[in-house]
Amino acid sequence: MRAAPRDNVAMPQILPLDDRSIAIAAEHIRAGRLVAFPTETVYGVGGDATNGEAVAAIFEAKGRPRFNPLIVHVPDMIAARRIGDFDKRAEELASRFWPGPLTLVVRRRADNGISELACTGLDTLAIRMPAHRGARTFLAEANRPLAAPSANRSGKVSPTTAQHVAEELGDAVALILDGGPCEVGLESTVLDMSGEEPVLLRPGGVPLEELEEALGRKIAVAKAGVTVVSPGMLESHYAPGLPLRMNAKKAEAGEALLGFGPAPDATLNLSETGNLREAAANLFAHLRSLDRPDFAAIAVMPIPEQGLGRAINDRLRRAAAPRG
Ligand code: AMP
Ligand code: MG
């Protein structure tokens, strides 16, 4: 069932996908705004992956109650190699299946400019080169990697038409590029190539058998709903090594204070003005920089449980939970 348009949500601009609308869309991206665009799988809501606040706006538009790592889209292999480490196997898969509905998770290159929020602080990055010609022209024109999950509200089906996107996201996007209905309608297959063993994280447009044939081996399948634990690796989400204390008014002795809103005593501040988008953009980078042995713990000031604050608090709660 398709969702009815939400009340009081203005309809975004929709333009047929062509050179002119792509130029406008690229301008929006460079200005930090969001653009929905078609790929061969589903419509994506894209933002500059190197701009933390643009990435935060994506989570906000989708109304996701938690942060999950986003797929970063690139127009060509040169752009892909700039942000991710492709070993021989990953190169082979890319040359065989790209452009196309395959997302490869590879190790992230240091200083690749990708916002910590896009990969939720992980050392890995999910990358895809879409087959859709218009999408690739747009990516090349934007001239930066785009974080782009499916352009639906959290918990709803992935949109395959521009009209469907408009109903889902309203004016949270500056522009929708209308390229007609998507061809595949299935999401991309997500294959984790960052560890010793390849692991299928999500089935999708490229069948598992084709990947196994290309790699000449069986591929392990991650169980749905289970946090992926690659052999010998930590859980696949980032949490600081130090204990974390939420809803702190001030720091106790030895604690680092992660501020939100005006806080002269904060060691670092997620957003001095209390802006949730800015706070989301800073969350993982700030946790990482406070996570060092000169502190005994990280105390975090209260974050309102609304909008992006929900996803921020979700992440903090999981970081604060005792680990066994
Ligand atoms: P969507 O947001 O609908 O495009 O889906 C993105 C998919 O890629 C989700 O299943 C994510 O969990 C997965 N994903 C993205 N980045 C990573 C990563 N670095 N490691 C593991 N899975 C990832
Ligand atoms: Mg989705």
Side-chain angles (χ1 to χ4, degrees):
M1 273 271 299
R2 180 181 282 194
R6 286 178 299 138
D7 292 339
N8 308 320
V9 172
M11 282 293 143
Q13 189 180 25
I14 303 180
L15 291 175
L17 181 99
D18 56 24
D19 288 349
R20 195 184 130 264
S21 62
I22 284 175
I24 297 169
E27 206 40 62
H28 282 309
I29 292 296
R30 287 191 289 267
R33 290 187 283 267
L34 307 184
V35 171
F37 63 101
T39 74
E40 73 278 19
T41 57
V42 300
Y43 273 76
V45 49
D48 180 354
T50 66
N51 177 339
E53 294 199 27
V55 175
I58 295 174
F59 287 106
E60 198 175 14
K62 286 181 66 79
R64 267 192 183 161
R66 62 175 45 174
F67 295 129
N68 57 342
L70 302 178
I71 297 172
V72 174
H73 293 67
V74 293
D76 52 45
M77 213 45 220
I78 294 169
R81 290 191 197 106
R82 231 181 258 141
I83 56 176
D85 255 329
F86 287 74
D87 62 11
K88 199 157 160 290
R89 303 166 313 169
E91 282 281 350
E92 273 168 23
L93 289 172
S95 71
R96 173 138 173 208
F97 293 99
W98 280 0
L102 175 66
T103 294
L104 294 172
V105 175
V106 296
R107 300 201 70 77
R108 167 156 77 108
R109 284 183 75 124
D111 302 321
N112 63 1
I114 302 293
S115 100
E116 292 275 339
L117 182 58
C119 49
T120 61
L122 296 171
D123 296 326
T124 56
L125 192 61
I127 307 176
R128 179 164 109 82
M129 187 197 301
H132 194 287
R133 280 188 67 90
R136 278 219 312 290
T137 309
F138 169 47
L139 289 165
E141 194 68 24
N143 195 24
R144 57 205 65 198
L146 293 196
S150 51
N152 51 280
R153 299 277 300 170
S154 178
K156 301 290 181 56
V157 297
S158 301
T160 53
T161 65
Q163 192 53 39
H164 192 178
V165 176
E167 289 163 6
E168 286 287 308
L169 299 184
D171 62 359
V173 290
L175 172 65
I176 300 174
L177 294 173
D178 187 353
C182 299
E183 276 172 30
V184 178
L186 270 179
E187 288 176 308
S188 63
T189 302
V190 181
L191 182 65
D192 186 353
M193 295 299 295
S194 68
E196 288 277 299
E197 309 281 324
V199 181
L200 184 84
L201 299 181
R202 178 176 81 185
V206 172
L208 177 62
E209 292 74 16
E210 284 185 29
L211 295 172
E212 290 183 328
E213 198 229 292
L215 285 172
R217 54 169 299 165
K218 282 274 173 203
I219 295 174
V221 178
K223 285 196 213 92
V226 172
T227 310
V228 177
V229 184
S230 307
M233 284 182 57
L234 294 169
E235 276 198 332
S236 73
H237 66 76
Y238 170 78
L242 288 181
L244 187 142
R245 187 165 69 83
M246 295 178 69
N247 298 314
K249 299 279 183 292
K250 59 184 188 60
E252 304 293 341
E255 284 183 339
L257 183 64
L258 183 56
F260 179 79
D265 297 335
T267 320
L268 283 177
N269 203 317
L270 289 169
S271 169
E272 280 176 30
T273 59
N275 179 311
L276 287 169
R277 237 184 237 182
E278 185 185 12
N282 285 330
L283 179 65
F284 291 95
H286 280 10
L287 285 176
R288 249 184 212 280
S289 35
L290 294 181
D291 193 18
R292 45 172 212 253
D294 25 332
F295 297 116
I298 303 171
V300 189
M301 288 174 67
I303 316 279
E305 186 72 10
Q306 63 185 52
L308 279 172
R310 284 183 218 282
I312 296 173
N313 283 325
D314 165 74
R315 181 57 59 138
L316 292 171
R317 266 192 295 275
R318 287 193 282 153
R323 269 155 279 163

